Amino acid sequence: MEGIEASWFSKTQKYITSTSNVLEWVGLGFLSFMVIAAVVDVVGAKLFKAPLPGSTEITGLFQIMAIGSGLAYSKIAGRQIYVGFLIDSVRGLPKLILEITRSILSLLLWAVAAWMVFEYALKLMKRGTETFLLGVPLFPFAFWVSICCCVPMCLLLILDLVRPIATRRQLGGDAS
């Protein structure tokens, strides 16, 4: 039974990791588009006296996509800011309790963020809010942040909560 639970955990972890990796590459693509838009804007303005119309809007929207896409993978890769002096200074059960508390609080934060940004996207869609110059609808970008940024973070934090249980059961299963 423990082997089934451990394999479920590792399969879920691999799926979330690979999905987050794909999202990171999507974000890198949008980062590349940001650079291209900036180059086209500068070259057009300097050489042809014709800057890229709406370049600031384009850069801002691509920035939303790039940052939102890479956030979950940055957690997986350990590239997020982590202040662990309190948690790292204790061992055993107190450390486990602090880690679980941190994960629960983080999960609550990201779940509320996903929900609020999703509601905001619905409001933007209902109002028909668009960018000023180009008239690009804003709601898809808010949906993107909610679904492709906040939801993967929630899934990763759920894995953080399940990991101690899964590893203890796996260690218990290996010892027998």
Side-chain angles (χ1 to χ4, degrees):
M1 186 71 173
E2 288 93 7
I4 293 170
E5 291 170 2
S7 69
W8 170 85
F9 179 78
S10 62
K11 284 180 186 177
T12 304
Q13 188 174 11
K14 284 179 187 175
Y15 176 74
I16 293 170
T17 301
S18 63
T19 302
S20 297
N21 189 25
V22 168
L23 287 172
E24 183 187 34
W25 280 101
V26 170
L28 290 172
F30 279 106
L31 190 63
S32 300
F33 290 143
M34 254 175 52
V35 170
I36 292 168
V39 168
V40 168
D41 183 46
V42 169
V43 169
K46 297 296 180 187
L47 295 181
F48 306 110
K49 304 289 186 219
L52 181 65
S55 64
T56 305
E57 290 178 357
I58 292 169
T59 302
L61 295 174
F62 285 167
Q63 207 170 29
I64 291 168
M65 303 295 279
I67 292 170
S69 300
L71 198 59
Y73 197 77
S74 70
K75 177 175 176 16
I76 293 169
R79 291 182 278 185
Q80 289 188 319
I81 296 172
Y82 170 71
V83 182
F85 64 90
L86 177 64
I87 293 175
D88 292 342
S89 66
V90 295
R91 299 279 179 243
L93 185 61
K95 181 175 183 165
L96 180 65
I97 291 170
L98 286 172
E99 287 176 345
I100 289 173
T101 303
R102 180 196 66 209
S103 293
I104 289 171
L105 291 174
S106 297
L107 177 60
L108 289 173
L109 174 85
W110 283 102
V112 168
W115 171 48
M116 291 182 78
V117 172
F118 193 84
E119 280 190 346
Y120 181 64
L122 291 173
K123 288 178 186 176
L124 290 173
M125 185 170 66
K126 185 178 178 182
R127 289 185 210 142
T129 308
E130 300 175 337
T131 61
F132 183 71
L133 289 174
L134 299 177
V136 177
L138 292 176
F139 73 90
F141 300 95
F143 280 129
W144 179 267
V145 169
S146 177
I147 295 168
C148 296
C149 172
C150 298
V151 171
M153 286 297 288
C154 286
L155 294 173
L156 288 170
L157 291 163
I158 290 169
L159 282 180
D160 282 351
L161 286 169
V162 174
R163 183 174 290 113
I165 298 165
T167 53
R168 279 197 177 187
R169 287 195 177 164
Q170 186 178 8
L171 291 174
D174 291 342
S176 5

